[in-house]
Amino acid sequence: MGIEDENPVSTEDRADYEPYVNRPEIKPKGRVINIHQTSKNKMVIYKPASFDEVREISDEVKSRRAVIVNMEKLDKDSAKRVLDFMSGSIYALNGTVKKIGPGIFIFAPDNVDISGTAIEESFQEKSFLLK
């Protein structure tokens, strides 16, 4: 029919060629994050002896760590000052404050969710029974 090649390729000529290997395109890699390698959230516990330690406590929250502060050692005025300072810091950082016991508070940044009211309710019930 006239469709044939003018110079047919013999099997001897085909041996000189390397076989064609289909190689996939090398695509630029995006940022891949393994969800199982996330950093652990840390919680720090403080039992301040004076108001002077409040800046250190606030810096921990600023570093996105939850902080439990036990103010049982402090006198009433110093404890109130610490609570006022930390409440202002938490407000500025969009965090949360929860009372978890008499003189014990948790200050958490916005990346930490604190849930549950059983602790607060149990203290309220105990204080009601003691009155």
Side-chain angles (χ1 to χ4, degrees):
M1 289 174 90
I3 301 178
E4 295 178 20
D5 289 339
E6 292 178 18
N7 298 329
V9 180
S10 67
T11 55
E12 295 172 3
D13 292 338
R14 288 184 186 168
D16 294 339
Y17 295 109
E18 291 180 24
Y20 177 74
V21 177
N22 186 11
R23 294 186 180 105
E25 271 185 53
I26 299 174
K27 297 179 183 177
K29 293 183 178 181
R31 185 172 176 199
V32 178
I33 300 173
N34 186 348
I35 61 171
H36 299 291
Q37 291 181 344
T38 58
S39 63
K40 294 180 180 179
N41 287 336
K42 292 185 179 182
M43 184 173 291
V44 184
I45 301 172
Y46 278 93
K47 196 169 187 177
S50 69
F51 177 77
D52 297 333
E53 297 176 44
V54 76
R55 179 173 284 207
E56 192 177 322
I57 298 168
S58 184
D59 287 341
E60 291 291 343
V61 177
K62 206 162 96 174
S63 298
R64 303 183 62 79
R65 292 183 196 93
V67 180
I68 294 176
V69 180
N70 183 342
M71 294 186 253
E72 292 175 336
K73 279 179 143 181
L74 295 174
D75 61 279
K76 197 172 189 175
D77 292 334
S78 295
K80 184 174 176 4
R81 288 182 65 199
V82 168
L83 185 60
D84 288 344
F85 185 93
M86 287 304 301
S87 294
S89 297
I90 286 296
Y91 176 77
L93 297 171
N94 294 324
T96 56
V97 179
K98 281 255 187 186
K99 183 175 184 177
I100 57 175
I104 303 172
F105 294 85
I106 184 165
F107 300 93
D110 61 349
N111 67 323
V112 177
D113 183 33
I114 301 172
S115 60
T117 57
I119 295 172
E120 288 180 355
E121 289 174 0
S122 67
F123 283 111
Q124 289 173 355
E125 288 172 11
K126 286 180 184 176
S127 64
F128 177 75
L129 294 173
L130 294 175
K131 288 181 183 179

